[in-house]
Amino acid sequence: MKLILGIESSCDETAASVVAGGRRILSSVVASQFETHGKYGGVVPELASREHLRAIVPVVREAMEQASIGYEDLSAVAVTQGPGLIGSLLVGITHAKAISLVRGVPLIGVNHIEGHIHAVLMDLEHEIEFPSLALIVSGGHTHLFEIGEGFAYRLLGKTRDDAAGEAYDKVAKLLGYSYPGGPILDKLAPFGNATRSRFTSPKMKGNELDFSFSGMKTAALRWVEANALEEEIAARKALGKSKMFPTVEDWLSVTPQATRDLIASFQAAVIEELLRRAAEPAEGLGAKCIVISGGVACNAGLRAAAASRMRLPVLFPKPVLSTDNAAMIAAAAFRKLEARDFADFSLSAKSSMPLA
Ligand code: KG4
Ligand code: ZN
């Protein structure tokens, strides 16, 4: 089986993975920069590049060792070309080029978003039949695509303001929770009552399949302002500073019922917005399934709602493969390897790289 070494460094994860036949993971190593950026409440690009430089050699070495292979066994080295932070992308690209040059292994450039879509194939029983829909929801992207025959992508809608994960992180920060706040709000949402929601679904002028989350962020801000929450917010900030990974019980101890209800309502509104826009075009296009991937695809509420409310099968990657990783990059490169669609050393980093 053909082996591909995948390398991913587009944001704040340095990752390397060896994948056989585009689907079977032999190793997947992810070094997260959580500790570096957590105290700043978001990713600091200069620090991210520096951390990638520190991590890239040991992470790639570990991926090769865990897979128990040598460079001579590789059919290709695949690397994320974009979209992402230029300084971060360059670290992965330069390393991949060096391997390609020194070891004589063909080089393949991969679009990060196409990687997220291919992450579902790692669950070996998953197949993407055409046509399908793909909803990519992460800290940087909220995009809805149609996937046609041979993985031909057509952009159906995207966010007009914040990405879904960004909205989670900003609302969490506003309420005093640590970064990244998405997973924390997801864990707290089941403890609140979502029925008296303060969040309304935005009406989109123009493309009705576009998303918008800024109204939800503003609604959360107004609620915080109206409720004089300084004390409880200070208690949560103090908890976040005193512990690297507070438990759900820790967070609950500083989250009164009214705030739990707000979080539940916010989560319900985001899920409604995502699933409604994905469901709308599905029938008209004759879609066979919907792929949902990216960090926000880890959301337990979203997974449960998709299973109970959507008529089509919804394919989610395992949570560890929903967030940034390099196995998805190697998986997306497999078709390019079969088509001998190799890059040369002019391969450059791209901060924006539309898939369609
Ligand atoms: O795909 P990813 O690892 O990196 C990007 O390409 O952005 O996504 C990270 C984003 C963050 O905004 C994080 O808060 C969000 O995904 N996220 C979640 C959950 N897990 C991660 N958002 C909501 N619920 C979750 N369980
Ligand atoms: Zn991503």
Side-chain angles (χ1 to χ4, degrees):
M1 243 196 248
K2 289 182 182 157
L3 304 180
I4 299 180
L5 167 66
I7 295 178
E8 154 66 36
S9 69
S10 64
C11 190
D12 58 345
E13 256 97 32
T14 320
S17 165
V18 177
V19 172
R23 301 188 66 143
R24 202 159 61 81
I25 300 175
L26 303 189
S27 64
S28 181
V29 180
V30 180
S32 173
Q33 302 178 2
F34 172 79
E35 288 179 30
T36 306
H37 304 289
K39 53 182 171 290
Y40 300 103
V43 177
V44 184
E46 287 79 6
L47 295 182
S49 323
R50 227 179 290 165
E51 289 299 313
H52 284 303
L53 272 176
R54 235 176 255 155
I56 190 81
V57 170
V59 164
V60 170
R61 189 181 298 145
E62 198 180 327
M64 294 295 287
E65 278 173 14
Q66 279 185 19
S68 304
I69 61 158
Y71 286 100
E72 65 282 2
D73 300 318
L74 291 174
S75 296
V77 54
V79 65
T80 305
Q81 186 178 4
L85 302 168
I86 289 290
S88 293
L89 287 163
L90 276 173
V91 176
I93 290 174
T94 309
H95 197 80
K97 282 182 182 172
I99 291 172
S100 174
L101 183 68
V102 174
R103 308 284 183 162
V105 182
L107 180 69
I108 297 176
V110 173
N111 184 308
H112 180 82
I113 298 176
E114 186 163 31
H116 275 303
I117 293 172
H118 281 70
V120 295
L121 296 177
M122 305 301 184
D123 266 315
L124 298 178
E125 72 275 15
H126 284 171
E127 277 310 336
I128 301 177
E129 289 178 67
F130 308 120
S132 295
L133 292 178
L135 176 63
I136 305 306
V137 273
S138 71
H141 317 282
T142 302
H143 285 83
L144 182 65
F145 296 98
E146 178 191 3
I147 313 177
E149 205 60 49
F151 286 91
Y153 301 102
R154 186 162 70 93
L155 183 66
L156 300 176
K158 63 179 172 27
T159 183
R160 299 233 181 122
D161 36 66
D162 292 335
E166 198 179 357
Y168 263 101
D169 295 340
K170 285 180 177 169
V171 168
K173 187 175 178 185
L174 177 74
L175 293 171
Y177 297 98
S178 305
Y179 174 85
I184 301 171
L185 298 193
D186 184 21
K187 289 199 191 89
L188 294 176
F191 296 92
N193 179 349
T195 53
R196 280 198 272 124
S197 181
R198 286 153 202 288
F199 302 96
T200 48
S201 210
K203 299 258 174 308
M204 304 309 288
K205 286 201 184 111
N207 185 1
E208 286 180 6
L209 296 180
D210 277 348
F211 303 79
S212 171
F213 298 99
S214 66
M216 295 184 202
K217 207 176 55 188
T218 309
L221 176 64
R222 296 282 168 269
W223 184 81
V224 168
E225 285 169 351
N227 284 278
L229 302 182
E230 292 81 6
E231 243 174 69
E232 60 165 276
I233 290 176
R236 289 192 283 269
K237 284 188 178 162
L239 172 62
K241 279 205 183 105
S242 70
K243 264 194 178 180
M244 184 60 85
F245 297 108
T247 62
V248 184
E249 286 69 32
D250 291 335
W251 286 123
L252 283 172
S253 71
V254 287
T255 307
Q257 193 58 45
T259 302
R260 297 179 191 186
D261 293 347
L262 179 93
I263 292 168
S265 303
F266 170 72
Q267 164 121 323
V270 174
I271 292 171
E272 172 65 25
E273 169 80 349
L274 294 176
L275 292 186
R276 193 164 55 90
R277 304 250 191 260
E280 261 165 31
E283 232 160 88
L285 294 170
K288 306 247 175 35
C289 68
I290 301 176
V291 173
I292 304 185
S293 186
V296 180
C298 295
N299 191 278
L302 177 64
R303 285 177 184 243
S308 66
R309 299 208 323 233
M310 299 297 267
R311 281 209 231 132
L312 288 176
V314 182
L315 310 182
F316 286 96
K318 285 195 187 75
V320 283
L321 295 170
S322 297
T323 49
D324 287 352
N325 66 88
M328 68 185 200
I329 301 304
F334 186 69
R335 261 181 332 105
K336 290 190 158 194
L337 171 65
E338 296 291 76
R340 304 192 63 75
D341 182 4
F342 300 124
D344 59 29
F345 291 122
S346 66
L347 179 85
S348 60
K350 293 197 163 137
S351 58
S352 93
M353 188 177 176
L355 187 55

